Every structure is written in C-alpha cells, then in structure tokens.
Amino acid sequence: MTEAPKPTVDRDAVRAHLEAALQRGTRVALWTAVADVPVLLAEIERQAELLTFARTEHANLLAAARATLSAARDGDAEALTYLRDEVQR
C-alpha cells in the first residue's frame, strides 16, 4: 500500500508567524507572515492535485468494480478481469 503524502508546510511555524504579526504588528513580523503566503498557495495547489488524483483513482476503481459485477451477473467466466486490470495499473 502506498504511504500518504506528507504536508510540505510547517503549520506551527505559519501559525506562530501569524500570531506574532497580529500581536506585535511590527513590519518584520508582518512581512514574515506575508512571506508564508506563497508557500501556503503552493501547498494548496499540491493538495488539489493529490485530491484530483485520488478522485480519479476512486472513479476508475468504482467503474471497474461495476463492470466486474455486471459481467459476473451476465455469467462471464472472466468477470474479474476488469478489476484485475485496474488494480494492476
């Protein structure tokens, strides 16, 4: 089984930067918090791509399962071929 991808953002550091910016309000604290925005946007994009991949995989497996069940219902001796082919990808 494939291991789940790890986040690429240190959420504790981002949270600390934001809290420091809100509490202190200094230019350095504000710019440090603002500097996290591109990193956060890149992480959102990465996770959106992972979600799209997972949804596609799920849809393909579901379609193969449905085709397998339909073929089995029709008496196809090789009904599991649909599912085997999809799982082996």
Side-chain angles (χ1 to χ4, degrees):
M1 186 179 287
T2 304
E3 191 173 313
K6 303 283 189 252
T8 60
V9 173
D10 182 352
R11 293 184 303 173
D12 292 333
V14 170
R15 192 172 289 114
H17 295 162
L18 178 60
E19 288 174 7
L22 293 173
Q23 290 174 1
R24 295 185 208 136
T26 64
R27 286 184 181 175
V28 171
L30 291 170
W31 280 111
T32 300
V34 168
D36 288 331
V37 171
V39 176
L40 293 170
L41 291 173
E43 179 65 7
I44 289 168
E45 181 66 28
R46 187 184 76 87
Q47 288 190 9
E49 289 173 6
L50 289 171
L51 180 59
T52 298
F53 176 77
R55 284 179 170 168
T56 301
E57 288 293 302
H58 177 266
N60 290 342
L61 284 170
L62 183 59
R66 287 178 174 159
T68 298
L69 291 172
S70 179
R73 227 177 293 124
D74 293 342
D76 186 348
E78 297 293 322
L80 283 176
T81 301
Y82 298 105
L83 202 51
R84 277 192 206 108
D85 289 348
E86 188 59 39
V87 171
Q88 288 177 358
R89 287 184 192 201

